[in-house]
Amino acid sequence: MATTNLQYLQNLFPRPTISPTCLVIGAPRMVFKCGCSSSGSSGQEDVFSLTSSSKYDVDYLGQSTKGDLNVNLEHLEAFGLDGQATLEGPIEQVARMETEEAEGLLRDLGIPSPSAVRLSPRGIFCSRTLNLRSISAIGYDMDYTLIQYNVMAWEGRAYDYCMDNLKNMGFPVEGLAFDPDLVIRGLVIDKEKGNLVKADRFGYVKRAMHGTKMLSTRAVSEMYGRELVDLRKESRWEFLNTLFSVSEAVAYMQMVDRLDEGAIPVDLGPLDCKGLYKAVGKALFRAHVEGQLKSEIMSKPELFVEPDPELPLALLDQKEAGKRLLLITNSDYHYTDKMMRHSFNKFLPNDMGWRDLFDMVIVSARKPEFFQMSHPLYEVVTGEGLMRPCFKAQTGGLYSGGSAQMVENSLNIHGDEILYVGDHIYTDVSQSKVHLRWRTALICRELEEESIEDDIIRTIEQSKRGIIELEYNALIHSRGHRATLVELINQKEIVGDLFNQLRLALQRRTKERPAQTLAATNMDDQELTESMQKLLIVMQRLDEKIAPMLDADGELFNKRWGFLSRAGLWDKSHLMRQIEKYADIYTSRVSNFLNYTPFMYFRSQEQTLAHDSYSHHC
C-alpha cells in the first residue's frame, strides 16, 4: 500500500522539467501564467515577486515576510486580467467566494483540504505563531524524529540488555519482564524516594508510583504536599523527555521493588534509591556503549523501524521550496547511514539517495553541548567513516562534531531563520531556542492514533493489558466521560455554594448576630437545619460518583497516569507546559508537513484566561 500511494503521488504530481520556480496557478475564473523559454529562463517576475531577505518586512503578528510571494498588479493587464475589477466588492464576500472556488479546485484535484488536516491526529499544532515561508533552513534530529522506532521492539531490547548487565553485576532480575505501560513520557523520577511522579504545569505532584505500585491520593498529598518538582535540581529529579527513557524507567521502578523486598545482595553495598538509579543507568549505558543493541538493530532494521513513505516526499518539497535541510544527530556515522538508507532511499524518486536531501549532515553532534559550546569539527571523507580535521563546514558536507554556531556561520543564516525539529524537549528543543533563538518543532509520537497493525496487536493483548489508545484518539473517545464529569462537578459547586450560604447564616445565628438578610435571621431553626442536611447528603453522594470518575479520567491513554498532556481534569501536565514554553509547533511525525506545504503560516490559538468566562458571559 505504501508503494502504491507513492506511485500515485508521483503520477499525480510529476517532477517538473522546467525551472522549479516557474508557476502555473489555475482557478475557474482566472488563470495566471508565466512565460517559460526553452532555455529554462522564467518570465514569472512579470507576475510574481518573492520577498527577499534584504527587503522583508514584519507583518501585523510580528512575523517576518521573507519568502512571501507577491503579485505585481501593474503587469496583470499583459495577461488579460484586471485584478481590481475581478476582485471588486466587500473583501469579506470576495474572500468567501474565492475560498469556495479554491476548495472546489482542490477537491477536483484530489488534494485534502488543509482545514481537515488540522482537525486530525496528523495535525501540526501551534504554540507560537510561525511563518514557515520565512524559514531559510530546517534542521532535523534522526532518532524518533526522522526515524520512528517500534517502541515495544527498540525499548524492549534495550531493557533486555540492561537487565543482562544488571544480572552480571549481581542484581536479582529473575521473573522481571518489560512492561511499557508502567511509564509514559513526561513523568519525573524522584531518585531520592524511588518514586515516579506526574506533575502539573506548576510542579505540584498529582499522581505517584513507588516501585511499580501506585500511591493513593492521600499518600501523594502527605509526601509531596509541601514541595514542587524542580527540574533544575538534577541530582534528585530526572525528567523522562523522550521515548528512549522508557526502558530505563521500567527497569528502575522494578528494581525499587526488589530493593524494598530486601532481595538485593548486601555485597553490592548499602544501596539507597539514588544509588540504585545510578546502577540501572550504568547498566543501560553499557548496553549503548558496547554497541550490541545498535549492531542488532543495524542487522535487522525492518524489525525496529516503522516505515513512513510520505516522509522523504515532505522533505523533498521543503528542499525544492528553497529550504536548506540539515541533519544533526548524536548517532555515529555508520548507524546514521544504515538507518537513513533503510528508511529513505526506497521512497525517493529518480535514484536519489538520502544524502541528496540534505545540504549538511552532522553526526556525533553531542547535543545539547552542540547548541551551547564549540567542539572540534571533523569531515567524514570515506564510506568507512574515516575522518580528518577541518575548520569550516561547507554545503553538501558530512561532518562529525562541531557546533550550531559553526553551522550558522557556514550557511550565513542565524537565529529565527532556522527551524529545528526533534523529539527531545531538552536536548533538541529548549537548548536550540534558549541559546540560539532558533524556531523549534517537537515530535510527539503519542499524539497520533494507532495504526491498523497496532489495532491488531492491541486486540490480541486486550485481555492482558487492557485497551490503550494514543493521546489524540483517547481524548476524542473520552469526551462523553469528561462532559458528564464536568456536569457533576458543576452541580456539586452550585449545591456547595447554596450550602455555604446557609452555613454562614447558621454560624451567625449561633453567635447571636444577624444573618445575611432579615428573612434569614428570622428563619425557623428546624427548616434551616433540614435544608442543610439535605444539601450535605447530596454533596456526599455527588462526591461518591465524582471521585472514581476522576480516577478513571485518561485511562484510555494510560490506566495509571492518564493523558500525556493533562494533569487532572482541567490542568496541563508538566510536559505540556515544557512543550508550550519551548516548542513553537508540535506534531506526531515529520511527514505531517506534507499536508501543510513548505509555505504554511502557523498561527497560535487564543489562550484562555481564568476571567474569560466572565467576559464571555457579559
Side-chain angles (χ1 to χ4, degrees):
M1 181 62 72
T3 305
T4 302
N5 289 338
L6 174 64
Q7 292 172 343
Y8 170 76
L9 285 169
Q10 292 174 338
N11 291 335
L12 185 60
F13 305 110
R15 298 297 168 197
T17 56
I18 57 175
S19 168
T21 57
C22 180
L23 303 176
V24 177
I25 301 179
R29 291 193 300 106
M30 62 181 68
V31 177
F32 295 172
K33 293 184 178 180
C34 61
C36 300
S37 67
S38 58
S39 63
S41 63
S42 169
Q44 78 172 61
E45 63 274 6
D46 291 337
V47 182
F48 299 109
S49 63
L50 198 67
T51 304
S52 67
S53 57
S54 60
K55 295 183 179 180
Y56 75 89
D57 201 348
V58 177
D59 66 17
Y60 51 79
L61 293 180
Q63 300 300 301
S64 168
T65 61
K66 181 170 64 71
D68 285 1
L69 202 63
N70 309 294
V71 60
N72 296 329
L73 296 176
E74 63 270 20
H75 295 293
L76 288 179
E77 291 183 1
F79 293 90
L81 182 64
D82 183 347
Q84 295 298 327
T86 304
L87 303 178
E88 281 183 347
I91 188 58
E92 297 86 352
Q93 294 180 12
V94 172
R96 281 194 294 269
M97 179 180 66
E98 296 302 323
T99 297
E100 291 175 1
E101 291 191 359
E103 286 178 342
L105 177 60
L106 289 180
R107 278 196 304 272
D108 293 342
L109 295 173
I111 301 175
S113 169
S115 58
V117 176
R118 294 170 193 166
L119 304 176
S120 77
R122 298 292 299 272
I124 297 177
F125 308 103
C126 182
S127 300
R128 180 187 172 210
T129 298
L130 169 66
N131 180 6
L132 200 56
R133 297 187 292 272
S134 69
I135 296 297
S136 300
I138 304 178
Y140 287 102
D141 177 41
M142 185 179 74
D143 298 309
Y144 280 121
T145 300
L146 288 181
I147 296 192
Q148 287 295 335
Y149 296 104
N150 181 309
V151 177
M152 189 68 183
W154 211 109
E155 293 303 309
R157 291 302 290 147
Y159 170 90
D160 292 340
Y161 281 113
C162 177
M163 285 308 196
D164 286 343
N165 289 333
L166 283 173
K167 183 178 180 180
N168 293 334
M169 294 162 64
F171 285 89
V173 300
E174 292 76 14
L176 297 179
F178 182 54
D179 182 4
D181 294 339
L182 277 177
V183 179
I184 61 173
R185 192 210 305 237
L187 300 180
V188 184
I189 294 177
D190 181 350
K191 292 180 277 190
E192 287 186 1
K193 299 182 183 296
N195 293 345
L196 192 61
V197 306
K198 184 177 186 180
D200 65 13
R201 57 185 164 138
F202 304 109
Y204 291 98
V205 176
K206 294 298 183 181
R207 299 188 186 190
M209 181 170 73
H210 180 74
T212 60
K213 302 174 184 66
M214 295 300 296
L215 299 178
S216 67
T217 303
R218 179 172 180 175
V220 171
S221 179
E222 291 175 350
M223 193 174 296
Y224 294 105
R226 292 172 178 254
E227 62 181 329
L228 302 177
V229 171
D230 186 353
L231 299 180
R232 293 171 298 181
K233 298 179 179 179
E234 297 179 0
S235 62
R236 178 175 181 183
W237 307 105
E238 186 70 26
F239 192 37
L240 305 186
N241 288 290
T242 174
L243 292 172
F244 278 129
S245 305
V246 171
S247 53
E248 180 181 28
V250 171
Y252 176 62
M253 302 318 294
Q254 291 175 339
M255 294 311 298
V256 168
D257 284 344
R258 295 290 163 97
L259 181 65
D260 292 342
E261 295 164 1
I264 296 181
V266 294
D267 57 356
L268 289 176
L271 279 177
D272 58 8
C273 292
K274 185 177 288 189
L276 184 62
Y277 179 80
K278 289 181 180 179
V280 172
K282 181 180 178 181
L284 189 62
F285 181 74
R286 282 182 56 191
H288 288 284
V289 169
E290 291 173 358
Q292 296 169 306
L293 178 58
K294 286 195 171 181
S295 294
E296 181 178 345
I297 294 170
M298 290 170 65
S299 65
K300 297 179 180 178
E302 66 278 2
L303 300 181
F304 298 92
V305 176
E306 296 180 354
D308 188 350
E310 295 178 332
L311 174 56
L313 297 179
L315 268 59
L316 197 57
D317 280 343
Q318 293 172 354
K319 184 176 182 64
E320 292 175 345
K323 314 295 183 189
R324 287 190 257 187
L325 301 186
L326 317 171
L327 176 60
I328 305 173
T329 175
N330 282 354
S331 291
D332 61 65
Y333 165 71
H334 291 291
Y335 185 79
T336 299
D337 185 55
K338 179 69 175 182
M339 292 296 102
M340 293 296 289
R341 282 176 183 270
H342 172 79
S343 301
F344 275 72
N345 286 8
K346 58 188 172 185
F347 299 124
L348 285 169
N350 304 327
D351 297 322
M352 286 183 65
W354 71 271
R355 285 283 309 279
D356 298 320
L357 283 172
F358 295 96
D359 292 76
M360 189 178 296
V361 175
I362 298 178
V363 299
S364 303
R366 298 176 66 178
K367 297 176 293 182
E369 293 181 6
F370 180 82
F371 298 114
Q372 303 166 353
M373 60 187 71
S374 182
H375 287 291
L377 181 70
Y378 298 90
E379 182 182 8
V380 181
V381 293
T382 69
E384 290 72 33
L386 183 65
M387 296 185 294
R388 65 185 176 196
C390 66
F391 300 99
K392 184 177 181 181
Q394 303 289 339
T395 300
L398 170 61
Y399 303 97
S400 174
S403 69
Q405 189 71 52
M406 194 177 298
V407 171
E408 288 188 339
N409 295 337
S410 298
L411 299 178
N412 195 28
I413 49 179
H414 303 85
D416 59 6
E417 294 179 274
I418 304 174
L419 172 69
Y420 190 69
V421 187
D423 70 295
H424 198 296
I425 192 67
Y426 176 75
T427 299
D428 295 322
V429 175
S430 76
Q431 293 305 291
S432 60
K433 177 169 289 295
V434 168
H435 292 281
L436 298 159
R437 292 295 184 265
W438 286 7
R439 305 306 298 269
T440 52
L442 181 78
I443 301 302
C444 187
R445 188 71 178 88
E446 299 93 329
L447 288 169
E448 189 176 318
E449 63 185 349
E450 293 173 320
S451 65
I452 295 175
E453 291 85 358
D454 291 330
D455 282 333
I456 295 172
I457 295 172
R458 185 185 63 195
T459 301
I460 295 172
E461 298 187 349
Q462 276 179 2
S463 59
K464 295 186 291 183
R465 298 170 48 200
I467 299 176
I468 297 175
E469 297 181 65
L470 296 187
E471 177 91 353
Y472 192 96
N473 212 27
L475 281 167
I476 292 174
H477 286 94
S478 299
R479 284 176 179 170
H481 174 90
R482 292 170 69 84
T484 301
L485 187 51
V486 169
E487 183 179 352
L488 288 170
I489 292 175
N490 288 339
Q491 287 179 341
K492 166 73 182 297
E493 183 177 338
I494 293 171
V495 173
D497 289 343
L498 298 172
F499 175 82
N500 291 337
Q501 288 293 346
L502 296 179
R503 181 178 179 180
L504 181 60
L506 179 63
Q507 174 183 298
R508 291 186 178 183
R509 176 174 298 192
T510 58
K511 299 299 181 180
E512 298 182 352
R513 292 198 303 112
Q516 297 94 314
T517 64
L518 180 61
T521 303
N522 296 329
M523 187 178 182
D524 179 72
D525 282 351
Q526 184 176 354
E527 182 182 359
L528 177 59
T529 302
E530 288 179 354
S531 295
M532 291 179 63
Q533 287 175 337
K534 291 177 183 177
L535 292 176
L536 194 56
I537 291 172
V538 169
M539 286 193 292
Q540 290 172 343
R541 291 187 60 188
L542 283 171
D543 284 344
E544 291 171 359
K545 189 167 186 177
I546 290 171
M549 290 186 69
L550 271 176
D551 288 340
D553 182 47
E555 68 178 8
L556 283 179
F557 181 77
N558 186 281
K559 289 185 178 295
R560 293 177 177 86
W561 302 107
F563 294 114
L564 191 81
S565 59
R566 307 292 201 275
L569 183 61
W570 284 292
D571 213 346
K572 299 170 185 174
S573 67
H574 209 55
L575 174 67
M576 196 66 234
R577 176 69 185 109
Q578 298 290 309
I579 292 174
E580 287 185 329
K581 185 175 181 179
Y582 296 115
D584 298 320
I585 55 177
Y586 60 96
T587 189
S588 64
R589 59 172 74 194
V590 172
S591 59
N592 294 343
F593 279 103
L594 190 65
N595 299 316
Y596 284 80
T597 80
F599 320 111
M600 182 67 188
Y601 193 108
F602 294 103
R603 180 176 58 83
S604 62
Q605 301 300 302
E606 177 186 9
Q607 302 298 299
T608 58
L609 304 172
H611 63 271
D612 281 344
S613 56
Y614 169 77
S615 59
H616 177 74
H617 176 73
C618 292

